[in-house]
Amino acid sequence: MTSPRFDAVVRLDAITEAGEVRMQWPRTSSVTEIWRPDPGKWADQSRVPHFGEPYSASIPPRIAELDVALPGRIAADLETATIRLRDFDVEFGASLSPIAALLIRSESLSSSQIENVNARARQIVAAEIGESDSRNAKLIAASSRAMIDAIGNPGEINADLAKRIQASLLASSPELRPGEYRTEPIWIGTSSVSPHGAEYVAPPVGELPGLLADWSRFASRTDVPILAHTVLAHAQFEAIHPFRDGNGRTGRALMQAMLRKRGATRHVAVPISSGLLTETDRYFAALQAFEAGDPVPLLEASVAATHSAIDNARELVGAIEQLRERQRAAIVARRDSKVWEVLEYTIRQPVFTPSMVADALGITTTNVQRNLDVLVDAEVLIATASVHRARGRIYRSQAILDELDRFAERATRRTA
């Protein structure tokens, strides 16, 4: 099966009725397929809805060689948003080592919430250490691990990285064949048993190798402005939809990897997904416009999301810094006491056991326990009744968890 060819240049020669230059982009085309699902899923093929009937599957254009020329207004807006990303990273990078982990959790939570996967911060952080039975919390914890891997050692931005991220996201769901491309049709909306009438039907599996190779070449380019490059690559990845599950979360983790690879961020993961979450309808509508050949709404939505995410992240950072000062004021200890190191640890890991602290800081469990008692007396920590398997009592910093929940609430509240 072959895909249609497109011109290799994006031209700025389309004028809207308002006299503005509109960015041209090749439209997604379609191909007719016949609905024949995996026989193993239906004992009686005659009962398969729409069996043998035609349906349309999308064929995204090849974009690896496109000359991406941005309209002046949106180019300026994208540059302003990129500068704010860099400024946030530079301003807080040196002092954010404990808070960086919280920002990654915030990004993972917001990305998951876009897919209607929700959990409280206490459940998520507990899931990170194997102490939560919440399926959603486990999924979000897995998303955090995938995000850390993606930005910590991104390597080349290509299909192999996408497979690695998706495999990490779905490691606990072997039935979904994590890290493997789908081998059957996939679609969004309307019906769970047939692609007929779906809002979007992803490309046929035979198209995936060529599309992903093309996407990898586009993602590895360095001649496209950073934020535009990241957003356009994200939209193309979502259009390809190469996996059975986790495509959205994988795509948004890839955005963070691209921002890190291109140097827009060096220290932190700015939770852009929280900005997208503020207007999910706009985000999904912009993805549809991209498929129709107009990437500008998505670029505009991403600019707005970046500003919103930075504002929300600044509010989180400010709240954590104020909380840290109040906690330090409540602690009675010598300046050279290890309690201050333990306090910083509780900010980046607000649910933990004494042995986890001992391993992380290289101090004895006895010394850790002494300092934990100080923090409990100062009402910085809560010593729970739960005991982690072979690792001791579980402690939590409820105040930090509350700030993470407030971050999530701000993002979702702005959606209304």
Side-chain angles (χ1 to χ4, degrees), residues 131-383:
E131 283 297 316
S132 175
D133 293 326
S134 166
R135 180 178 181 275
N136 282 359
K138 291 177 181 178
L139 288 172
I140 298 169
S143 181
S144 293
R145 290 191 295 271
M147 193 80 64
I148 291 169
D149 179 46
I151 66 176
N153 184 29
E156 294 301 317
I157 308 299
N158 56 26
D160 287 340
L161 176 60
K163 289 174 71 173
R164 194 176 88 207
I165 292 171
Q166 196 265 357
S168 179
L169 281 171
L170 299 180
S172 62
S173 302
E175 72 281 3
L176 296 175
R177 299 170 64 184
E180 297 182 29
Y181 299 135
R182 58 183 169 85
T183 58
E184 57 191 3
I186 191 171
W187 59 91
I188 298 172
T190 307
S191 170
S192 61
V193 296
S194 164
H196 291 80
E199 295 175 14
Y200 180 78
V201 182
V205 295
E207 294 285 342
L208 294 182
L211 285 168
L212 287 166
D214 177 83
W215 176 83
S216 296
R217 290 195 299 274
F218 180 81
S220 67
R221 287 172 58 172
T222 58
D223 64 319
V224 183
I226 294 174
L227 191 53
H229 185 212
T230 300
V231 171
L232 294 172
H234 169 64
Q236 183 74 355
F237 184 85
E238 296 309 314
I240 297 170
H241 239 62
F243 303 110
R244 286 184 62 186
D245 196 13
N247 291 284
R249 285 169 290 156
T250 299
R252 288 184 289 274
L254 285 166
M255 290 180 73
Q256 294 291 339
M258 288 187 69
L259 291 172
R260 182 64 60 92
K261 183 74 173 181
R262 293 289 307 273
T265 60
R266 297 183 182 276
H267 306 286
V268 300
V270 178
I272 292 178
S273 291
S274 72
L276 296 173
L277 183 62
T278 64
E279 294 185 89
T280 51
D281 289 345
R282 181 183 184 183
Y283 172 48
F284 292 131
L287 286 173
Q288 291 178 336
F290 175 86
E291 293 154 14
D294 185 6
V296 171
L298 184 61
L299 295 172
E300 291 174 335
S302 298
V303 167
T306 300
H307 289 302
S308 178
I310 292 172
D311 291 343
N312 201 356
R314 281 184 176 276
E315 196 165 342
L316 173 64
V317 171
I320 295 295
E321 289 180 336
Q322 291 178 19
L323 174 61
R324 178 193 278 166
E325 290 306 309
R326 292 196 300 271
Q327 290 177 337
R328 292 180 71 89
I331 297 167
V332 179
R334 300 190 313 272
R335 298 178 103 184
D336 61 348
S337 171
K338 287 290 184 181
V339 73
W340 308 116
E341 291 183 45
V342 176
L343 176 63
E344 292 297 291
Y345 176 85
T346 68
I347 295 172
R348 67 175 181 266
Q349 184 62 47
V351 179
F352 60 91
T353 67
S355 61
M356 290 172 62
V357 184
D359 292 344
L361 301 184
I363 55 182
T364 66
T365 304
T366 301
N367 196 2
V368 167
Q369 190 60 60
R370 185 183 310 119
N371 289 297
L372 291 179
D373 291 342
V374 171
L375 295 178
V376 170
D377 290 342
E379 299 184 346
V380 171
L381 295 179
I382 296 172

Side-chain angles (χ1 to χ4, degrees), residues 65-133:
E65 305 301 326
L66 287 178
D67 182 11
V68 181
L70 301 167
R73 176 184 55 79
I74 190 62
D77 291 344
L78 286 161
E79 181 61 20
T80 299
T82 302
I83 290 170
R84 282 201 74 197
L85 275 174
R86 285 178 166 147
D87 287 348
F88 180 87
D89 189 82
V90 170
E91 180 180 352
F92 294 106
S95 61
L96 268 184
S97 55
I99 299 175
L102 302 185
L103 289 173
I104 288 175
R105 290 191 184 98
S106 300
E107 167 64 12
S108 301
L109 174 57
S110 297
S111 181
S112 298
Q113 285 178 313
I114 291 173
E115 310 293 338
N116 294 315
V117 177
N118 294 280
R120 304 292 287 182
R122 177 177 171 181
Q123 294 173 306
I124 296 166
V125 185
E128 293 174 3
I129 64 172
E131 283 297 316
S132 175
D133 293 326

Side-chain angles (χ1 to χ4, degrees), residues 1-6 29 58-62 203-204 206-208 210-211:
M1 190 179 300
T2 59
S3 296
R5 297 175 61 86
F6 294 91
S29 62
S58 298
I59 306 290
R62 302 300 201 263
E207 294 285 342
L208 294 182
L211 285 168

